[in-house]
Structure formats: C-alpha cells, structure tokens
Amino acid sequence: MLVFFMWELLMLAILVALTLWVLAARGTPWHVYLSVWVSWGMALALVALVPIDLHIVYLKRCIDHYGDDVEAQEAACSVKSWRDIAGDNRSASEVLEKWLSVLRKAWIFVYTVCQVNGWILLTFQSSFIESRRFSKMGKFKQAFIENFGFYAALGIINSVGVLFIYMVGMDLEYVIFGCLALFNALMLTIVSLFLGYGLGEAPRALWQGSRFIPTIRRALYNVWANHRACTLAADDLAAKLVQVYSLRRAAGGAVRSYGQEIVHIMSEVPFDITSVFLMDPVKGPVLPSKKEDLQKAYVAQLRQIEMETTHKQKTTEVDMWLQALDSTGGMPRHSPLFSMQEKCFEAGYKDLGTMDQLDPALSKHSQGTREADPKVRQDEIVRQLQAIQLPGSANDHKSIALAIIKRNDATFLNPANEDHDPWANLEEDAFGGVGGEIKSADWDIDKLVALRTQVYMANRKYRKSKKKFDRSVKECILIQDLDRAHEDLLPWSCVWQNLRQAFVHEDRSETGWNGLRSPVRAQFEGPHAIRWEVAWFVGRTYVLPFVRQVLAIICCVGALAILQSQMAIFPGFPEKTGLLLLHLCSRGALKPNCIDEGQDVSSWTSWEPYKVLPGFQVNIGFHLFFICGIMTFVLLRLRIFSFYEIVIGETDSASLLLNAYIVCRLVPSLAHNYLAIVNESGTEKNERDVTAFESVFSSLGTIPFVNIDFNQVLPPLTLLVWLVTIINGLFKGKCKLPRLDGEQHKTQDIMDDAKLVVELERRRYEKGRAQSRAFASRQAHLLSASAEGLNGNGDHSSHSGVSGAWQKALNVVKNKTGIEMSPMGGVLNGKHGKSEEHKGLADNDACAHNAVAADDIEGQFQKIQVGSSVTHTISNHGNAGSVVTAQSEGVGHAAGSSAGKVGWSAMLQYSSDQAGSAFSSVTARAMAAHQNGAAHSGAGLTVSAPQNGGAGAASSTGAVAGGAGVASG
C-alpha cells in the first residue's frame, strides 16, 4: 500500500506540472511555477489521503467486530497489503495503528503547508509579482505594506478572542481551534456556493456541448464577447501608451531626473512606440502630433501585429490606407474591405504610389500639361479598378476614386503644400502637443509606479483577450466546418457508405469523401492519411457528442446524489442516509454507518455484511474525483473582474497565484465536508474509531461559541444555489438572472455581429493556409527539380556552374508554367492554362478552393544556391489580370587565375488563348556578371495574346549591361 500511495503522489505531481505548463503564460517567473506546483500538489495530496484514512477506519471496525478470530479477520478484512510499513510479525490492529500514526503526521504536514501557502505565502508573493516598483526592495516593501492590513486584522481578531477566552476562563487551546473553525466556516460557505453552481451548470454545459446548434451559438457568442473585449483592451492599452510616449518625449527635458524609471516603463510596452505612424486618407503616412492621432496609430499598430503573428500576413500601405478610409467614413457602410485589400494585393497595388498612378492627372501634371476634368479622372480610375475586378459596388469604386483624386490634389497637384514641412507639427510640443504638457512638478516615483502598473495590467488584459479571441475563432470555424461536412454527407444512408469507402478503399476521388476542409486544422498526411481523417472526423463529430451526452447523464445523476447526501446531514431532512454513504457501504457494510445496532442482516443478498471488500478506495476516489471535477469546472469559469481569469496558455502569474490561494483554502474544507457526508465528521473520539483527520482536527467543523456542526447548516444554501442555476438555465429567455461566469444572454444582434467577425477571420485563415500550402508545394517541387539536375538526370549538359544552374532554373519554369525556354537564344512557347502542379495543389489543399482560384497562385519565391557564387531566383505569377514575371539572375565566377565571361540572351514568346483574359504585363529579365572580367547580358521578350473578348498586350525590351546603350520597343 505504501508503494501504491507513493506512485499515486508521483502521478499527481506529474499531472499538476503538466496542467500548470498548459495554463501558464510564457515568461512566468520560476518561483511562481514552484509555489503553484507545491500548493496544487499539497491540495491534491490532502484529497488523496482521505481514501486511505477511511479505509483504515473501516478495517479497524471490521477487526474489532471479529475480535480474536484471526482467520475471520483475514477473510473479511485482510491487512496483508498494509504490512509494508509495520512488518509481518505485528497484529492487524498494530499495523493499522502504525498507519494511523503516520497519517496524523501527514495530515498535520499537508494541512499546515496548505494553510501557510493560502494565508501567508501566496498573498505576499502575489503582491510582490503585481508590484511594478523599480527595485526588488521596493517590491518587498510594497508587498509587506499591502499585506500588513490583512495580517493586522487577523491579529486584532485573535487578540479579541484571547481576551474573551481569558475573561470566561476557557482553555487557550480553544482559541486556536476556534480560529481554525472560523476560517473553515468561511471556506465551507464558498464550497457550498461553488458546489451549488457547479452541480447545476456542469451537466447542462456537457449536454449543450453535445448538440451542434447550441454549441455553435455559444461559440459565436464567445467570438463576439472576446472580439469586443479585445477591442476595448486595445483601446485601453493604446491610451496608456500615449502617456508613456509623452513621458518618453519629455525624458530629455522636463523629467530628465526620472530617465531610468521611464526606461523601465518602456520595457512594459509590447512594441516600439517611438516609430509608429498614422495613415491619413489624404496625407498618407504621417507622424501623429496629437494624442488622439497617436492613440489611433497605436491601435492600428496592434492590429498590424495581430495580422502578422496570427495570420502570417504583412499589412501593406494600401491595406492601411483602405482601412483608414473606411474608418473615417470615406466608404459606404458594409463595404467588402478585406476583399478589396486582397484584390489590390494580388494586382500589385501594395504602396500608395501605385494607387496614385491610377489618376491620369498625375501623369499629365508631371509632363507639364493641364490635369484632366474631375469627372474624367474619376471615370478613368473606376475603369481601372473594374479592370482588376475589384470587389464592391459602383459606389465603393467611386469612393476610392474620389479619395485618390482628393489625395493627389492635396499632396501633389497643390503648389501651396510643396514647401510644407511634415516635421513642423512636432515642434508644437512646447505649446500643448504630445509631451508638451509634461511638467517635472507633476510627477514623482509613486505616480510613475502607478503608470507602470496601469500599462502592465492593460498589456496583460490585451494579451489574454487576444488569446481568447483567437481560440474562440478557431473553435467556431472548426465547429461550422464539422457541421457543414456532416450536412454534405447526409442523408444518413450515405454517411456510413461514404465514410466506409474512404476508410477501407482510401478513395480520394471526386465522388469519395476527401477529409474535413477547414482552414484552422491541418489535414493528416502520409500513406494512411484518409483513414486518419475518417477516424478523426467520426470521433469528433459523432463519438465525442455521444460521450458528452453519457457524461452529462452521469454528471446529472452524481449531482443529484451529492445534493441528496448533503441534505441527509441537515437536521430537518427526513432521510438520514445519503446515497454516497450507501455507495460506500456496498464495499464495506459495517456498524454504525451501514448497520444499525441489533439489525438482522441474515437476509441481505446485495451487500456482504461485516466485510471490507476490494475496491473500497475506488468508490471513495470516484466520489472525490467527481467533487473535485465540479470545483475545477467552477474555478475555470470563475472571473473576478480583470484580476482573475484562467486562459489556456495565457494565464498570468496573479491569476495562477490566486487560484492556488483559493485551492489551498478550499480543499481542506472540501475534505472535511466529504467526511461529514459519509458520517465520519463531528463525532467524539471516545464514541467509536475515528479517522486520523478527525482525531487531529475534531473541532474544525464546529461553529465557535455555538457548538453546532457547520456542515449541518450549509446544505440548504447549496440546494438554493443549485435551484437558481437550474431555473436560470432552463428559462434563459425569460429569467435573466446574473451569471457567475459573467456571460451575457445571447441575442440575435449579437449572433449576426459574431457571424460577420467569423467570416472575416475565416477568409484570413483561408488565405494564410493556401499560401503556406502553395509555398510548401513549390519548395518540394523546386528541390526535386534541383536534385534531378545535379544528379545528371536532365536533358542538358552544363559547361560551367552558371550555365548548369541557369538550365535548372529554366527547367523549373517549364515544369511550373508549361513554357519551354532555351538558354542560348532559344524560343519559349507556351500556353496559359492550369498546370498539373496547380491541379495537385487544388486537390490536396482544401482551402485553395475557397481562397485562391485554380489558376491563381500568387507571390511565391524560391531560391536555389549552387556552390557559393551562383544564385537563381524564379518568380512565377500565374494570375490572369496581374503581372506575370520570370526572373533569373546569375553571378559569374573565374576559374583559377583566368577571367571568365558569361553572356546569354533569352527570347520569350508567351501566348494565351484563354477567353476573356487580359495580362497587364509580362516581364522577363536575364542578368549575368563576372569577377575580374567584362560582363554582358541581354534579354528579349515577345508577348502575344489573342483576344477572345479580352485585352492583349505586347512588348519587347532589351538591355546591355556594361555598355552605353539601352533600347526598348
């Protein structure tokens, strides 16, 4: 038994460590990990002691029943597994007494650690962690001052108690146990509240989680709530960063004496706040000179960081310009902003200069002629926007055209602004601009500490809300995709057939099931990928909801059993035997809990009287596991303003310490409450054999000065909270009572707003997913082509490192685009169409069907390094209506002491017979250089595009490097 107990403690320690690693935010101090791990471990160890303690008590009662009959004792209540601590020569009673002695010491040790951690250490450590003082000694002082009031209050209460005890002539020991009982009574009240809420909410949450419609509604609500919280947190953080920036600007002047402290405050900010700019719809990127503009710039910077970290997408100038135009009311409401940004990026409009060039007046102004009429300019810009198939209505296009005209008129075509210095606004600081209002007399160390604390808390709140928003969005998208995949498989007669065919035959045909298509989940890869897809889909869509329904039913039955057992110890309840006690008696039917004095047990068939059967501790462990699970469910849902909240992967140190603080205080009371439920608490030592816990803390559950067991008073409170929770869950639409988790009641407006947010985030995930898969596909194909060329499997023979690598690059172009190209004056002929590599990408990547057209694989660049001197870069854009580029660069080298010359020319002929398509430009360049010698490079380009209802273009360009002539035509 000792070995089993040690293994149990080891497994609990590992479980606590893994849980802590999953919940804690990265960067949490090591001493916080240690304190929380010890606190959680001691609390669970205290729970682990209860089954052993009760088992020993029941064994003692069984042995006492049989007296000196050793054979009957061994048959009914064997202690063979308990002799590892006392030896084989001792009697059964002596072995159990030895275990009780060890358990008393263990109870005292674990209980003392929990109380010291819960009442002293964790509170001080939490204050130390939350302190933003600029030195460790300052943090210690602040933590001591904050906890001094709490400790002083405890001292005053104890002093009053001692004085009262002295006046009435009672024993001083009564003071100690009276204080313990007072604290335990407070914790038992919280246990009753948590149990009442958890027993009512946990079964409902499990049952609702097994149904798609309630699950989707809750997921949408979580997206809406977290998006709202993230937006508010970003605004709050930006406002705090404005104050920090003002101090940073004044650090070299008015508050120079606090320069070191300001540097410490700067370490709390999430990015460099001195290098941000504000995108103005007219002026473009400008340095903000007012607080309002600076706050907007910081919010925009936070959004840009979100895009880069979450979706791996860079935000271009045009993206920010369109967003600024929309936020200032320059575009109609509900414009497809994200679609516009994506189309502009695909068409090559990434900086504001390219958007400005859409205005014909700009080119005429540079030529010295008069600009066109505003109506003509607007029509021309709209025509060009429609040519790239920009999403949105005609009003959206006109709004963008007017914004471009207004920007060009104010920035380029207005002579009054030519001499304007954009840095002049920054000189207004001394007259009330950013940082100008900072005065040395208005700031001291305490105010700087308060500002640093506010920045720290705002940054923490933003990170947690952002983490929750990302998780809720992914969860919502995945649930929607699961529901959509299930609907596609219906009717039910086809579900089993399609899934079975995919699993058995691995059918990936168009008629077969090809796996779940979701941008937030990576599909399985490998020889048995489709089988893993089927197994995962079946488990997630059909098995998991069924398991949740079964668990909800079990949880409901367990909740009712606990409520009945709680009420059984209430003096006014008619039934005095709880269901948990009856379940315990099924493995150990003994006096006085299970058998009354003088009761006839000869007719019993389901129970074996006066025996302790194997699995006795299993029943107790099941009870405690269920109760602890309910308490964990409540603690994970509990939110205390913005100070305490458990977020997976982003739980801050303060929340972890507060959680450990609560656990250390609640678990002893929880264990005492369970002992009361099974009628092992509140008994006198001389009445019968009692547990080691009760022998040490016999007065723990007694109300001071009243001598009433507190566990007998609380059951009605637990029942009341449970009834309120059930009524609130059943009649949400009519009975809108406050919720413990802070969740609001769902409305249709909230659902509609959440769907818009989810759809936008879905498209971003789809784009990022498609780009990453396209990048991986091209990388694998390029490496394969490079390996074939290096191994001599190609159809060319390289005379030098440069020409060989050049030939490899041309082979890659051929494989990618279907265009054949000769390195020495050859002719390249090809037709535009869907290549096999594109087709494979579209078939393998589920997101490519939604995010990218089959012929639209954008902006992927690969580099092949040959030796140390030759680099070839291939860029292929196969998108109709955009720029198609093929580029190769080579660096020549000299072999030995002789100089080498490298030169070639390339002729490109590109033809397209695709109906209704237009190519804005096709470019090909070939460049070469060499060391210690002359360089010559030339390029030729011929483009022909037969028009079938579309527009065509043709151009030819040649260039000679190292010479004096450039010809174009």
Side-chain angles (χ1 to χ4, degrees), residues 947-963:
Q947 301 182 33
N948 296 325
S955 64
S956 176
T957 304
V960 178

Side-chain angles (χ1 to χ4, degrees), residues 229-240 295 299 302-303 462:
C230 187
T231 302
L232 294 177
D235 293 337
D236 185 38
L237 177 59
K240 298 298 185 295
Q295 183 172 350
V299 172
L302 288 173
R303 292 176 179 173
Y462 173 75

Side-chain angles (χ1 to χ4, degrees), residues 631-647:
M631 299 298 292
T632 303
F633 170 81
V634 176
L635 288 176
L636 291 178
R637 280 205 168 191
L638 180 64
R639 300 175 187 174
I640 304 176
F641 302 106
S642 61
F643 184 74
Y644 172 81
E645 186 176 9
I646 300 297
V647 179

Side-chain angles (χ1 to χ4, degrees), residues 179 318 334 362 406 410 415 603 681 860 864 910:
C179 292
V318 175
H334 305 297
L362 190 62
K406 185 177 181 180
S603 61
S681 176
Q860 304 300 327
I864 303 175
Y910 193 100

Side-chain angles (χ1 to χ4, degrees), residues 216 219-220 223 471-481 758 762:
I216 290 177
L220 288 172
V223 170
R471 288 180 61 87
S472 60
V473 165
K474 290 182 179 180
E475 180 184 2
C476 187
I477 292 175
L478 182 59
I479 293 174
Q480 289 179 342
D481 293 336
V758 172
R762 174 187 288 277

Side-chain angles (χ1 to χ4, degrees), residues 391-461:
S393 62
N395 291 332
D396 297 331
H397 298 168
K398 291 180 181 179
S399 300
I400 296 177
L402 292 175
I404 294 175
I405 294 174
K406 185 177 181 180
R407 167 174 160 74
N408 287 336
D409 290 343
T411 307
F412 300 104
L413 306 179
N414 189 356
N417 292 335
E418 291 183 355
D419 299 330
H420 177 67
D421 184 8
W423 296 82
N425 292 335
L426 299 180
E427 298 179 359
E428 299 177 0
D429 285 355
F431 304 98
V434 177
E437 74 281 1
I438 300 298
K439 298 180 181 179
S440 178
D442 297 335
W443 289 92
D444 54 20
I445 293 295
D446 292 335
K447 292 183 179 180
L448 292 175
V449 170
L451 176 60
R452 186 183 183 187
T453 303
Q454 293 174 3
V455 173
Y456 167 75
M457 297 182 67
N459 190 19
R460 180 181 66 187
K461 182 179 180 181

